[in-house]
PDB file of all heavy atoms in Angstrom:
ATOM      1  N   GLU A  13       0.835  -1.211   0.000  1.00  0.00           N
ATOM      2  CA  GLU A  13       0.000   0.000   0.000  1.00  0.00           C
ATOM      3  C   GLU A  13       0.863   1.252   0.000  1.00  0.00           C
ATOM      4  O   GLU A  13       0.537   2.251  -0.653  1.00  0.00           O
ATOM      5  CB  GLU A  13      -0.924  -0.009   1.218  1.00  0.00           C
ATOM      6  CG  GLU A  13      -2.132   0.913   1.077  1.00  0.00           C
ATOM      7  CD  GLU A  13      -3.006   0.540  -0.102  1.00  0.00           C
ATOM      8  OE1 GLU A  13      -3.455  -0.626  -0.193  1.00  0.00           O
ATOM      9  OE2 GLU A  13      -3.238   1.426  -0.965  1.00  0.00           O
ATOM     10  N   LEU A  14       1.985   1.204   0.705  1.00  0.00           N
ATOM     11  CA  LEU A  14       2.901   2.350   0.706  1.00  0.00           C
ATOM     12  C   LEU A  14       3.527   2.541  -0.677  1.00  0.00           C
ATOM     13  O   LEU A  14       3.731   3.680  -1.120  1.00  0.00           O
ATOM     14  CB  LEU A  14       3.999   2.150   1.751  1.00  0.00           C
ATOM     15  CG  LEU A  14       3.578   2.313   3.212  1.00  0.00           C
ATOM     16  CD1 LEU A  14       4.710   1.890   4.144  1.00  0.00           C
ATOM     17  CD2 LEU A  14       3.162   3.764   3.508  1.00  0.00           C
ATOM     18  N   ARG A  15       3.810   1.453  -1.381  1.00  0.00           N
ATOM     19  CA  ARG A  15       4.359   1.590  -2.726  1.00  0.00           C
ATOM     20  C   ARG A  15       3.349   2.240  -3.669  1.00  0.00           C
ATOM     21  O   ARG A  15       3.711   3.067  -4.515  1.00  0.00           O
ATOM     22  CB  ARG A  15       4.765   0.210  -3.281  1.00  0.00           C
ATOM     23  CG  ARG A  15       6.057  -0.342  -2.725  1.00  0.00           C
ATOM     24  CD  ARG A  15       7.238   0.582  -2.937  1.00  0.00           C
ATOM     25  NE  ARG A  15       7.385   0.972  -4.338  1.00  0.00           N
ATOM     26  CZ  ARG A  15       7.808   2.167  -4.739  1.00  0.00           C
ATOM     27  NH1 ARG A  15       8.109   3.118  -3.856  1.00  0.00           N
ATOM     28  NH2 ARG A  15       7.920   2.430  -6.018  1.00  0.00           N
ATOM     29  N   ARG A  16       2.083   1.860  -3.522  1.00  0.00           N
ATOM     30  CA  ARG A  16       1.052   2.502  -4.351  1.00  0.00           C
ATOM     31  C   ARG A  16       0.977   3.996  -4.054  1.00  0.00           C
ATOM     32  O   ARG A  16       0.788   4.807  -4.963  1.00  0.00           O
ATOM     33  CB  ARG A  16      -0.298   1.827  -4.121  1.00  0.00           C
ATOM     34  CG  ARG A  16      -0.468   0.512  -4.858  1.00  0.00           C
ATOM     35  CD  ARG A  16      -1.872  -0.033  -4.757  1.00  0.00           C
ATOM     36  NE  ARG A  16      -2.087  -0.718  -3.503  1.00  0.00           N
ATOM     37  CZ  ARG A  16      -1.878  -2.017  -3.319  1.00  0.00           C
ATOM     38  NH1 ARG A  16      -1.437  -2.765  -4.322  1.00  0.00           N
ATOM     39  NH2 ARG A  16      -2.103  -2.582  -2.151  1.00  0.00           N
ATOM     40  N   LEU A  17       1.145   4.351  -2.776  1.00  0.00           N
ATOM     41  CA  LEU A  17       1.132   5.762  -2.407  1.00  0.00           C
ATOM     42  C   LEU A  17       2.362   6.477  -2.966  1.00  0.00           C
ATOM     43  O   LEU A  17       2.269   7.607  -3.467  1.00  0.00           O
ATOM     44  CB  LEU A  17       1.082   5.898  -0.882  1.00  0.00           C
ATOM     45  CG  LEU A  17       1.149   7.320  -0.306  1.00  0.00           C
ATOM     46  CD1 LEU A  17      -0.005   8.168  -0.827  1.00  0.00           C
ATOM     47  CD2 LEU A  17       1.130   7.275   1.222  1.00  0.00           C
ATOM     48  N   ALA A  18       3.527   5.829  -2.894  1.00  0.00           N
ATOM     49  CA  ALA A  18       4.767   6.436  -3.372  1.00  0.00           C
ATOM     50  C   ALA A  18       4.751   6.666  -4.878  1.00  0.00           C
ATOM     51  O   ALA A  18       5.484   7.519  -5.392  1.00  0.00           O
ATOM     52  CB  ALA A  18       5.960   5.564  -2.979  1.00  0.00           C
ATOM     53  N   GLU A  19       3.944   5.894  -5.587  1.00  0.00           N
ATOM     54  CA  GLU A  19       3.813   6.126  -7.029  1.00  0.00           C
ATOM     55  C   GLU A  19       3.021   7.383  -7.335  1.00  0.00           C
ATOM     56  O   GLU A  19       3.118   7.942  -8.435  1.00  0.00           O
ATOM     57  CB  GLU A  19       3.148   4.910  -7.676  1.00  0.00           C
ATOM     58  CG  GLU A  19       4.041   3.661  -7.691  1.00  0.00           C
ATOM     59  CD  GLU A  19       3.297   2.426  -8.142  1.00  0.00           C
ATOM     60  OE1 GLU A  19       2.083   2.557  -8.450  1.00  0.00           O
ATOM     61  OE2 GLU A  19       3.899   1.331  -8.190  1.00  0.00           O
ATOM     62  N   LYS A  20       2.224   7.845  -6.369  1.00  0.00           N
ATOM     63  CA  LYS A  20       1.434   9.059  -6.549  1.00  0.00           C
ATOM     64  C   LYS A  20       2.121  10.299  -5.982  1.00  0.00           C
ATOM     65  O   LYS A  20       1.998  11.390  -6.530  1.00  0.00           O
ATOM     66  CB  LYS A  20       0.077   8.912  -5.849  1.00  0.00           C
ATOM     67  CG  LYS A  20      -0.815   7.817  -6.394  1.00  0.00           C
ATOM     68  CD  LYS A  20      -2.120   7.763  -5.614  1.00  0.00           C
ATOM     69  CE  LYS A  20      -3.046   6.680  -6.126  1.00  0.00           C
ATOM     70  NZ  LYS A  20      -4.321   6.637  -5.338  1.00  0.00           N
ATOM     71  N   LYS A  21       2.832  10.110  -4.853  1.00  0.00           N
ATOM     72  CA  LYS A  21       3.425  11.257  -4.164  1.00  0.00           C
ATOM     73  C   LYS A  21       4.823  10.888  -3.688  1.00  0.00           C
ATOM     74  O   LYS A  21       5.052   9.756  -3.257  1.00  0.00           O
ATOM     75  CB  LYS A  21       2.562  11.647  -2.956  1.00  0.00           C
ATOM     76  CG  LYS A  21       1.124  12.005  -3.333  1.00  0.00           C
ATOM     77  CD  LYS A  21       0.279  12.307  -2.111  1.00  0.00           C
ATOM     78  CE  LYS A  21      -1.188  12.504  -2.518  1.00  0.00           C
ATOM     79  NZ  LYS A  21      -1.375  13.676  -3.394  1.00  0.00           N
ATOM     80  N   PRO A  22       5.784  11.815  -3.766  1.00  0.00           N
ATOM     81  CA  PRO A  22       7.125  11.510  -3.262  1.00  0.00           C
ATOM     82  C   PRO A  22       7.075  11.177  -1.772  1.00  0.00           C
ATOM     83  O   PRO A  22       6.349  11.809  -1.007  1.00  0.00           O
ATOM     84  CB  PRO A  22       7.910  12.797  -3.533  1.00  0.00           C
ATOM     85  CG  PRO A  22       6.877  13.862  -3.716  1.00  0.00           C
ATOM     86  CD  PRO A  22       5.675  13.179  -4.288  1.00  0.00           C
ATOM     87  N   MET A  23       7.841  10.177  -1.379  1.00  0.00           N
ATOM     88  CA  MET A  23       7.802   9.702   0.003  1.00  0.00           C
ATOM     89  C   MET A  23       9.220   9.534   0.536  1.00  0.00           C
ATOM     90  O   MET A  23      10.087   8.958  -0.132  1.00  0.00           O
ATOM     91  CB  MET A  23       7.055   8.373   0.091  1.00  0.00           C
ATOM     92  CG  MET A  23       6.976   7.794   1.491  1.00  0.00           C
ATOM     93  SD  MET A  23       6.291   6.103   1.504  1.00  0.00           S
ATOM     94  CE  MET A  23       4.666   6.389   0.791  1.00  0.00           C
ATOM     95  N   VAL A  24       9.443  10.019   1.739  1.00  0.00           N
ATOM     96  CA  VAL A  24      10.723   9.845   2.402  1.00  0.00           C
ATOM     97  C   VAL A  24      10.453   9.253   3.779  1.00  0.00           C
ATOM     98  O   VAL A  24       9.502   9.630   4.458  1.00  0.00           O
ATOM     99  CB  VAL A  24      11.484  11.188   2.508  1.00  0.00           C
ATOM    100  CG1 VAL A  24      10.688  12.226   3.281  1.00  0.00           C
ATOM    101  CG2 VAL A  24      12.857  10.986   3.145  1.00  0.00           C
ATOM    102  N   ALA A  25      11.294   8.279   4.172  1.00  0.00           N
ATOM    103  CA  ALA A  25      11.136   7.627   5.471  1.00  0.00           C
ATOM    104  C   ALA A  25      12.161   8.179   6.455  1.00  0.00           C
ATOM    105  O   ALA A  25      13.319   8.415   6.096  1.00  0.00           O
ATOM    106  CB  ALA A  25      11.310   6.115   5.332  1.00  0.00           C
ATOM    107  N   VAL A  26      11.714   8.369   7.688  1.00  0.00           N
ATOM    108  CA  VAL A  26      12.588   8.819   8.762  1.00  0.00           C
ATOM    109  C   VAL A  26      12.489   7.805   9.901  1.00  0.00           C
ATOM    110  O   VAL A  26      11.416   7.592  10.458  1.00  0.00           O
ATOM    111  CB  VAL A  26      12.196  10.217   9.270  1.00  0.00           C
ATOM    112  CG1 VAL A  26      13.096  10.630  10.430  1.00  0.00           C
ATOM    113  CG2 VAL A  26      12.278  11.243   8.150  1.00  0.00           C
ATOM    114  N   VAL A  27      13.607   7.173  10.223  1.00  0.00           N
ATOM    115  CA  VAL A  27      13.627   6.159  11.273  1.00  0.00           C
ATOM    116  C   VAL A  27      13.897   6.836  12.609  1.00  0.00           C
ATOM    117  O   VAL A  27      14.818   7.649  12.739  1.00  0.00           O
ATOM    118  CB  VAL A  27      14.710   5.103  10.995  1.00  0.00           C
ATOM    119  CG1 VAL A  27      14.745   4.064  12.112  1.00  0.00           C
ATOM    120  CG2 VAL A  27      14.461   4.442   9.649  1.00  0.00           C
ATOM    121  N   GLY A  28      13.080   6.479  13.615  1.00  0.00           N
ATOM    122  CA  GLY A  28      13.300   6.975  14.958  1.00  0.00           C
ATOM    123  C   GLY A  28      14.270   6.067  15.693  1.00  0.00           C
ATOM    124  O   GLY A  28      15.429   5.929  15.313  1.00  0.00           O
ATOM    125  N   THR A  29      13.784   5.391  16.731  1.00  0.00           N
ATOM    126  CA  THR A  29      14.643   4.483  17.482  1.00  0.00           C
ATOM    127  C   THR A  29      14.931   3.214  16.700  1.00  0.00           C
ATOM    128  O   THR A  29      16.065   2.737  16.676  1.00  0.00           O
ATOM    129  CB  THR A  29      13.982   4.115  18.828  1.00  0.00           C
ATOM    130  OG1 THR A  29      13.757   5.316  19.586  1.00  0.00           O
ATOM    131  CG2 THR A  29      14.872   3.184  19.639  1.00  0.00           C
ATOM    132  N   ILE A  30      13.905   2.671  16.028  1.00  0.00           N
ATOM    133  CA  ILE A  30      14.091   1.380  15.375  1.00  0.00           C
ATOM    134  C   ILE A  30      13.137   1.210  14.194  1.00  0.00           C
ATOM    135  O   ILE A  30      11.987   1.648  14.243  1.00  0.00           O
ATOM    136  CB  ILE A  30      13.887   0.223  16.391  1.00  0.00           C
ATOM    137  CG1 ILE A  30      14.166  -1.136  15.755  1.00  0.00           C
ATOM    138  CG2 ILE A  30      12.487   0.262  16.975  1.00  0.00           C
ATOM    139  CD1 ILE A  30      14.231  -2.276  16.761  1.00  0.00           C
ATOM    140  N   ALA A  31      13.642   0.619  13.132  1.00  0.00           N
ATOM    141  CA  ALA A  31      12.828   0.159  11.994  1.00  0.00           C
ATOM    142  C   ALA A  31      13.409  -1.183  11.597  1.00  0.00           C
ATOM    143  O   ALA A  31      14.275  -1.283  10.728  1.00  0.00           O
ATOM    144  CB  ALA A  31      12.873   1.144  10.837  1.00  0.00           C
ATOM    145  N   ALA A  32      12.963  -2.222  12.294  1.00  0.00           N
ATOM    146  CA  ALA A  32      13.545  -3.548  12.109  1.00  0.00           C
ATOM    147  C   ALA A  32      12.517  -4.504  11.530  1.00  0.00           C
ATOM    148  O   ALA A  32      11.317  -4.331  11.696  1.00  0.00           O
ATOM    149  CB  ALA A  32      14.065  -4.088  13.441  1.00  0.00           C
ATOM    150  N   SER A  33      13.006  -5.507  10.845  1.00  0.00           N
ATOM    151  CA  SER A  33      12.172  -6.583  10.291  1.00  0.00           C
ATOM    152  C   SER A  33      11.016  -6.009   9.468  1.00  0.00           C
ATOM    153  O   SER A  33      11.232  -5.349   8.475  1.00  0.00           O
ATOM    154  CB  SER A  33      11.669  -7.486  11.425  1.00  0.00           C
ATOM    155  OG  SER A  33      12.737  -8.166  12.025  1.00  0.00           O
ATOM    156  N   GLY A  34       9.764  -6.255   9.908  1.00  0.00           N
ATOM    157  CA  GLY A  34       8.616  -5.765   9.154  1.00  0.00           C
ATOM    158  C   GLY A  34       8.588  -4.260   9.015  1.00  0.00           C
ATOM    159  O   GLY A  34       8.078  -3.723   8.026  1.00  0.00           O
ATOM    160  N   ALA A  35       9.124  -3.552  10.001  1.00  0.00           N
ATOM    161  CA  ALA A  35       9.173  -2.092   9.910  1.00  0.00           C
ATOM    162  C   ALA A  35      10.189  -1.643   8.869  1.00  0.00           C
ATOM    163  O   ALA A  35      10.019  -0.602   8.223  1.00  0.00           O
ATOM    164  CB  ALA A  35       9.509  -1.487  11.273  1.00  0.00           C
ATOM    165  N   TYR A  36      11.253  -2.427   8.691  1.00  0.00           N
ATOM    166  CA  TYR A  36      12.197  -2.093   7.627  1.00  0.00           C
ATOM    167  C   TYR A  36      11.579  -2.362   6.265  1.00  0.00           C
ATOM    168  O   TYR A  36      11.856  -1.654   5.291  1.00  0.00           O
ATOM    169  CB  TYR A  36      13.501  -2.880   7.789  1.00  0.00           C
ATOM    170  CG  TYR A  36      14.561  -2.435   6.813  1.00  0.00           C
ATOM    171  CD1 TYR A  36      15.136  -1.167   6.915  1.00  0.00           C
ATOM    172  CD2 TYR A  36      14.952  -3.248   5.759  1.00  0.00           C
ATOM    173  CE1 TYR A  36      16.081  -0.732   6.002  1.00  0.00           C
ATOM    174  CE2 TYR A  36      15.903  -2.834   4.843  1.00  0.00           C
ATOM    175  CZ  TYR A  36      16.458  -1.565   4.961  1.00  0.00           C
ATOM    176  OH  TYR A  36      17.388  -1.127   4.041  1.00  0.00           O
ATOM    177  N   ILE A  37      10.703  -3.375   6.190  1.00  0.00           N
ATOM    178  CA  ILE A  37       9.965  -3.623   4.954  1.00  0.00           C
ATOM    179  C   ILE A  37       9.130  -2.394   4.599  1.00  0.00           C
ATOM    180  O   ILE A  37       9.010  -2.028   3.422  1.00  0.00           O
ATOM    181  CB  ILE A  37       9.066  -4.873   5.113  1.00  0.00           C
ATOM    182  CG1 ILE A  37       9.916  -6.131   5.225  1.00  0.00           C
ATOM    183  CG2 ILE A  37       8.101  -5.010   3.938  1.00  0.00           C
ATOM    184  CD1 ILE A  37       9.133  -7.397   5.532  1.00  0.00           C
ATOM    185  N   ALA A  38       8.548  -1.745   5.608  1.00  0.00           N
ATOM    186  CA  ALA A  38       7.796  -0.512   5.369  1.00  0.00           C
ATOM    187  C   ALA A  38       8.723   0.605   4.917  1.00  0.00           C
ATOM    188  O   ALA A  38       8.406   1.371   3.993  1.00  0.00           O
ATOM    189  CB  ALA A  38       7.035  -0.111   6.639  1.00  0.00           C
ATOM    190  N   ALA A  39       9.885   0.717   5.552  1.00  0.00           N
ATOM    191  CA  ALA A  39      10.810   1.812   5.233  1.00  0.00           C
ATOM    192  C   ALA A  39      11.278   1.768   3.783  1.00  0.00           C
ATOM    193  O   ALA A  39      11.386   2.804   3.119  1.00  0.00           O
ATOM    194  CB  ALA A  39      12.014   1.773   6.175  1.00  0.00           C
ATOM    195  N   ILE A  40      11.544   0.561   3.268  1.00  0.00           N
ATOM    196  CA  ILE A  40      12.088   0.475   1.908  1.00  0.00           C
ATOM    197  C   ILE A  40      11.020   0.707   0.841  1.00  0.00           C
ATOM    198  O   ILE A  40      11.337   0.699  -0.350  1.00  0.00           O
ATOM    199  CB  ILE A  40      12.797  -0.879   1.672  1.00  0.00           C
ATOM    200  CG1 ILE A  40      11.827  -2.047   1.834  1.00  0.00           C
ATOM    201  CG2 ILE A  40      13.986  -1.026   2.597  1.00  0.00           C
ATOM    202  CD1 ILE A  40      12.467  -3.402   1.560  1.00  0.00           C
ATOM    203  N   ALA A  41       9.785   0.951   1.272  1.00  0.00           N
ATOM    204  CA  ALA A  41       8.767   1.350   0.298  1.00  0.00           C
ATOM    205  C   ALA A  41       8.948   2.806  -0.114  1.00  0.00           C
ATOM    206  O   ALA A  41       8.397   3.240  -1.130  1.00  0.00           O
ATOM    207  CB  ALA A  41       7.368   1.156   0.890  1.00  0.00           C
ATOM    208  N   SER A  42       9.722   3.573   0.639  1.00  0.00           N
ATOM    209  CA  SER A  42       9.899   5.001   0.367  1.00  0.00           C
ATOM    210  C   SER A  42      10.985   5.235  -0.684  1.00  0.00           C
ATOM    211  O   SER A  42      11.724   4.323  -1.062  1.00  0.00           O
ATOM    212  CB  SER A  42      10.254   5.740   1.667  1.00  0.00           C
ATOM    213  OG  SER A  42      11.494   5.269   2.158  1.00  0.00           O
ATOM    214  N   ASP A  43      11.099   6.490  -1.118  1.00  0.00           N
ATOM    215  CA  ASP A  43      12.102   6.858  -2.118  1.00  0.00           C
ATOM    216  C   ASP A  43      13.487   7.064  -1.507  1.00  0.00           C
ATOM    217  O   ASP A  43      14.506   6.910  -2.185  1.00  0.00           O
ATOM    218  CB  ASP A  43      11.681   8.149  -2.834  1.00  0.00           C
ATOM    219  CG  ASP A  43      10.312   8.031  -3.472  1.00  0.00           C
ATOM    220  OD1 ASP A  43      10.059   7.001  -4.127  1.00  0.00           O
ATOM    221  OD2 ASP A  43       9.490   8.947  -3.304  1.00  0.00           O
ATOM    222  N   GLU A  44      13.520   7.435  -0.226  1.00  0.00           N
ATOM    223  CA  GLU A  44      14.782   7.728   0.474  1.00  0.00           C
ATOM    224  C   GLU A  44      14.585   7.418   1.943  1.00  0.00           C
ATOM    225  O   GLU A  44      13.491   7.611   2.482  1.00  0.00           O
ATOM    226  CB  GLU A  44      15.154   9.207   0.284  1.00  0.00           C
ATOM    227  CG  GLU A  44      16.555   9.587   0.720  1.00  0.00           C
ATOM    228  CD  GLU A  44      17.611   9.401  -0.377  1.00  0.00           C
ATOM    229  OE1 GLU A  44      17.271   8.806  -1.428  1.00  0.00           O
ATOM    230  OE2 GLU A  44      18.749   9.848  -0.197  1.00  0.00           O
ATOM    231  N   ILE A  45      15.640   6.920   2.599  1.00  0.00           N
ATOM    232  CA  ILE A  45      15.558   6.577   4.018  1.00  0.00           C
ATOM    233  C   ILE A  45      16.576   7.400   4.801  1.00  0.00           C
ATOM    234  O   ILE A  45      17.776   7.362   4.501  1.00  0.00           O
ATOM    235  CB  ILE A  45      15.817   5.075   4.263  1.00  0.00           C
ATOM    236  CG1 ILE A  45      14.793   4.221   3.512  1.00  0.00           C
ATOM    237  CG2 ILE A  45      15.770   4.757   5.760  1.00  0.00           C
ATOM    238  CD1 ILE A  45      15.049   2.725   3.629  1.00  0.00           C
ATOM    239  N   PHE A  46      16.085   8.117   5.801  1.00  0.00           N
ATOM    240  CA  PHE A  46      16.943   8.841   6.734  1.00  0.00           C
ATOM    241  C   PHE A  46      16.876   8.135   8.084  1.00  0.00           C
ATOM    242  O   PHE A  46      15.835   7.593   8.468  1.00  0.00           O
ATOM    243  CB  PHE A  46      16.475  10.289   6.907  1.00  0.00           C
ATOM    244  CG  PHE A  46      16.835  11.198   5.775  1.00  0.00           C
ATOM    245  CD1 PHE A  46      16.099  11.185   4.592  1.00  0.00           C
ATOM    246  CD2 PHE A  46      17.902  12.072   5.877  1.00  0.00           C
ATOM    247  CE1 PHE A  46      16.415  12.020   3.531  1.00  0.00           C
ATOM    248  CE2 PHE A  46      18.236  12.922   4.823  1.00  0.00           C
ATOM    249  CZ  PHE A  46      17.491  12.892   3.643  1.00  0.00           C
TER     250      PHE A  46
END
């Protein structure tokens, strides 16, 4: 669903304390990861 959104609007991910496992799967749906 995030990939479908990223195809419509630019998306950047910002990791707080942790983006591990399934949360990292969410992060890589974005165009850039900070």
Side-chain angles (χ1 to χ4, degrees):
E13 200 60 55
L14 287 172
R15 283 303 307 145
R16 281 188 279 269
L17 176 59
E19 290 171 0
K20 297 180 180 180
K21 301 177 186 296
M23 179 188 300
V24 59
V26 178
V27 179
T29 301
I30 184 169
S33 294
Y36 187 68
I37 292 174
I40 61 178
S42 63
D43 304 314
E44 191 88 351
I45 300 176
F46 283 79

